[in-house]
Every structure is written in structure tokens, then in C-alpha cells.
Amino acid sequence: MEFTEKTTKKETIFEGKVVDLSVHDVTLPDGRSSKREVINHSGAVAVVAVTPEQKIVMVKQYRKPLEKPLVEIPAGKLEGTDSPEETAARELKEETGYTAGRLQKIASFYTSPGFADEIVHLYEAFDLEAGEPETEEDEFIELIEVSLEEADELIQKEEIHDAKTMYAVQYVKTILDKK
Amino acid sequence: MEFTEKTTKKETIFEGKVVDLSVHDVTLPDGRSSKREVINHSGAVAVVAVTPEQKIVMVKQYRKPLEKPLVEIPAGKLEGTDSPEETAARELKEETGYTAGRLQKIASFYTSPGFADEIVHLYEAFDLEAGEPETEEDEFIELIEVSLEEADELIQKEEIHDAKTMYAVQYVKTILDKK
């Protein structure tokens, strides 16, 4: 089957610090026309870090679109020429104080492929060393370390409630089962 | 810790068919000011449907933000006053032809809480009956049924590459393990 939607006209609506928005006039595979709203984002990384005590390292922070705080695994936006792995190491250190001896990529996924190109690269951190967080000026972040049981409780309470963190909790279940 | 970011001014940039975009001037917990780019979305549903042959029902469709097709579980946007469960049943029927005797909610998650309020409600479908798809006018969709092994191959090939579908594949692994 032919799927391609060819852009005949692209209107840039907004170019921001986090997202750009454009509207594309497209030609569908059958020749008809339609419009597509497209958010462009630089991509992000997130880190699954499990302490020797088998606690998952998480951070609580305010999420303006939801008007409430969420508990999430450490994460951050890709910026400039930094690689996903460098960004993962930096965000883990900044947000939680932990340094990873080694990072290994475990997955990547588009978060909302219907309207956005944001991709999240997910890393697992090994050989953790605790240290002092170095949060950025406009980040208000609380470090929380949770057992798998506590993670399930936070999911029930909808304090953990985002795709990357819920994927990560499922992932930690599979690795701890294997140990 | 106090987390709230209070909006002092909200500028609406765009109101579209799928997303709205606004920029908020906010006061941070320490009194300083910042800006937040916020995408509003009506939310979505997605359906985990496993056939009696233990194949996961998926659809292949073009994703304009990525300029390529992805293989995903059936999903769709919430519209009007339809409940998530009604929408899940309708999207499953429209995109795949399957009718579910019963739908059970298994999770919900925000896809990109840093900049968007989109939430996905994930349902598991039981008592499937095959039928004819009823795709909408501007949807070009191919039905694909994949075993868990094939799903893992599609993840490796990055043809399955979105958060809800990768979460769903992990979920199906846990339910098939229990059977």
C-alpha cells in the first residue's frame, strides 16, 4: 500500500524554545487534499537508574501542561550537538546527583507520532555513584527513590502517570525478575 | 516542596483540529519568572487486542511528523462527548474491523508531560469478532496481525516505534507469560 502524504505547502505557525508548530497541506495517496498539524521537538533522553537497594531513581517536578507535579524517571531535552548518551549522563547528574559508570541504550520511542516528532531515547544506568544534584535555574525538582512496590502504588495514585516512566517500571520488573 | 507555576499571562498562539498551542508567562516557586509552551490535546485511546491465535492486532499508517509509516496498536483521538471506552470500541472497529465483546482499561499515561497534556487511555479487548474495517476518508491504514516474536522484530527494525505500542507489547508479554 502507498502511504506517503506529500506536503504541497507548509505554514510555520510558531518557533519556540521547546516546540515548533507548522501546518502542512498534504496530498493523500488517493490524490485528495488534507491538512496536518505538526509539532517539531529536538528529542529527549530518559534514564532508568536502579540503586543497589533496588530502588528506582525518580524525580518529582511540576508539569505545566497538567497543572500538577508528576513523579518521573530523570529526563531532559536534547540540545545542540550533545549526543543522547552525553545528555542522559548530564541529566541524571543534574537532576539526581547520581553519576553512572556506564549507560546502555534499552529503547527509543516516539511519544505522540500522530502530531509530534519527539523521540525519547531510554538508557539504563550502571555502577551508580551518589552525589549532589545540580539542577538548572528554573527547575524545581525533588529526588525520590522508590521500590517496585512503591512505583506500583504511585501508578495507582496517578502520581507516576507518563509513558516513559510507566514503560521504565515495566522494564525494571523484567530485569529484576531475571536476577 | 512547593512546585506550582502560576500563570500570570497566557497567549493563545494556535487553535487547530488536533492541537492548540499557548505560551504561558509563569511565576516559579522562588518568585522568578519563566515561560512555558503548552500544547493542549483532547486525549486519545488505544486498544490491545490479542486474537485467539495470540497475534496482536496492529495497523500500519503514515505519520506525517516522522515522514514515514509506523506499525501501531489501533488508536484514535477523543472527540465530543464520547467516553474513552466508546471511542476505543469505535476505533478498533473502524481501523481493524474487530468488534470487542468487552473492553477493560489497563492503564493511562501522559505522552509528553513536559509540553503537552495529551493522555492515552489504554484498553484490553476481549471476545474479539472479526469483521470489515470502516476507515475514515483521510485514513490509509493496513491491518497487520503480529506474534510477540514478530513484534520484537518490528521493534528492532523501528517499524514499531511509539510509546503506546511498545508499552502494549511489554504488557502482552506479561499476560501471555501468565497463561
Side-chain angles (χ1 to χ4, degrees), chain B:
Chain B
M1 195 190 281
E2 173 57 37
F3 290 98
T4 307
E5 300 177 350
K6 205 174 167 226
T7 296
T8 54
K9 190 186 132 205
K10 177 185 168 183
E11 185 188 0
T12 300
I13 307 285
F14 178 77
E15 294 184 306
K17 212 175 58 167
V18 178
V19 297
D20 297 340
L21 170 64
S22 57
V23 177
H24 293 245
D25 293 345
V26 297
T27 304
L28 300 177
D30 65 0
R32 288 183 310 112
S33 298
S34 191
K35 280 180 188 286
R36 296 285 179 254
E37 299 162 13
V38 175
I39 301 287
N40 291 111
H41 182 283
S42 60
V45 297
V47 183
V48 180
V50 181
T51 68
E53 297 76 30
Q54 303 207 332
K55 301 250 185 175
I56 310 170
V57 177
M58 297 203 184
V59 290
K60 184 174 182 175
Q61 65 191 310
Y62 196 75
R63 290 310 202 174
K64 184 66 188 170
L66 319 180
E67 296 291 7
K68 66 179 182 184
L70 284 188
V71 176
E72 298 169 48
I73 57 171
K77 213 158 55 82
L78 286 171
E79 304 199 46
T81 57
D82 288 356
S83 72
E85 188 171 328
E86 287 166 345
T87 308
R90 190 188 66 229
E91 292 289 345
L92 180 66
K93 173 64 183 162
E94 285 181 0
E95 295 192 344
T96 73
Y98 280 104
T99 308
R102 183 168 64 86
L103 287 165
Q104 187 176 308
K105 189 165 174 183
I106 53 181
S108 67
F109 38 73
Y110 294 104
T111 52
S112 295
F115 65 86
D117 70 349
E118 184 198 29
I119 190 167
V120 173
H121 303 278
L122 192 63
Y123 286 84
E124 184 174 355
F126 296 90
D127 308 326
L128 289 181
E129 281 193 34
E132 282 303 307
E134 304 164 351
T135 45
E136 287 175 43
E137 270 204 342
D138 69 347
E139 286 187 309
F140 294 83
I141 284 181
E142 183 180 329
L143 176 62
I144 303 180
E145 299 183 3
V146 298
S147 66
L148 261 183
E149 197 178 9
E150 290 163 335
D152 278 335
E153 286 167 16
L154 290 171
I155 289 171
Q156 286 302 316
K157 291 158 74 180
E158 300 191 341
E159 293 183 38
I160 290 176
H161 204 189
D162 77 297
K164 69 180 175 307
T165 305
M166 290 176 66
Y167 183 92
V169 171
Q170 280 186 326
Y171 175 79
V172 171
K173 278 181 194 173
T174 66
I175 57 170
L176 292 187
D177 277 353
K178 282 180 197 148
K179 280 184 183 169

Side-chain angles (χ1 to χ4, degrees), chain A residues 7-61:
Chain A
T7 296
T8 54
K9 190 185 133 206
K10 177 184 168 183
E11 185 187 359
T12 300
I13 307 286
F14 179 75
E15 293 183 308
K17 213 175 58 167
V18 178
V19 296
D20 297 340
L21 170 64
S22 57
V23 177
H24 294 245
D25 292 345
V26 297
T27 306
L28 301 177
D30 65 359
R32 288 182 312 112
S33 298
S34 191
K35 281 179 187 287
R36 295 285 180 255
E37 298 161 14
V38 174
I39 301 287
N40 290 113
H41 182 283
S42 60
V45 298
V47 183
V48 179
V50 180
T51 68
E53 296 76 30
Q54 303 207 332
K55 300 250 185 174
I56 311 170
V57 177
M58 297 203 183
V59 289
K60 183 173 182 176
Q61 65 190 311

Side-chain angles (χ1 to χ4, degrees), chain A residues 131-162:
Chain A
E132 281 303 308
E134 303 164 353
T135 46
E136 287 174 43
E137 270 204 342
D138 69 347
E139 286 187 309
F140 293 84
I141 283 181
E142 183 180 330
L143 176 63
I144 303 180
E145 299 184 2
V146 298
S147 66
L148 261 182
E149 197 178 9
E150 290 163 336
D152 279 334
E153 286 168 16
L154 289 171
I155 289 171
Q156 285 302 316
K157 289 157 76 180
E158 300 191 341
E159 294 183 36
I160 290 176
H161 204 189
D162 76 298

